[in-house]
Amino acid sequence: MGLNWVASYCPHAAYVMKTDCDMFVNTEYLVTQVLRPELPPRQQYFTGSLMKNYIPNRNEASKWYMPPELYPGDVYPAFSSGTGYVFSADLAGSIGEASLTIGLLPLED
């Protein structure tokens, strides 16, 4: 929903950032090393912490339990950590549209 809002109401934004409220953002590093204002804004750009080879938690007592009925696979496909990521605003609409065709996994804290 937020991605569609960005796509509709922020046509001049160069980048979008999502971060959890309990995360620290090193804004100096973000601007100078990731966003690089001396260069033209990047297109089709996404950066974050890539999570690979994570296995579903099958412990029913865990907060992070993933029932096999919701995700039957043994390993999740690679994904970006939800703690924080940055992407070029031109991707907002595409990501929003793609999200409509992918099932939701309830893993948010």
Side-chain angles (χ1 to χ4, degrees):
M1 185 157 161
L3 295 171
N4 293 329
W5 189 90
V6 168
S8 297
Y9 297 105
C10 303
H12 302 295
Y15 297 99
V16 177
M17 179 178 185
K18 182 273 180 193
T19 188
D20 286 351
C21 65
D22 57 354
M23 299 307 300
F24 169 78
V25 177
N26 183 335
T27 53
E28 182 176 357
Y29 180 86
L30 175 67
V31 171
T32 62
Q33 301 300 312
V34 178
L35 303 181
R36 309 278 308 271
E38 73 278 9
L39 300 176
R42 297 175 181 152
Q43 299 290 305
Q44 302 290 302
Y45 176 74
F46 190 103
T47 187
S49 182
L50 183 62
M51 313 300 277
K52 297 192 319 188
N53 301 315
Y54 277 76
I55 60 172
N57 185 329
R58 302 299 188 197
N59 177 356
E60 293 183 21
S62 172
K63 173 182 179 178
W64 308 111
Y65 172 62
M66 178 56 62
E69 302 82 45
L70 283 180
Y71 188 81
D74 293 329
V75 178
Y76 292 120
F79 62 96
S80 179
S81 170
T83 57
Y85 47 85
V86 174
F87 57 93
S88 56
D90 64 301
L91 289 178
S94 300
I95 295 171
E97 287 178 29
S99 73
L100 300 175
T101 65
I102 298 170
L104 177 66
L105 297 179
L107 289 175
E108 187 62 36
D109 59 353

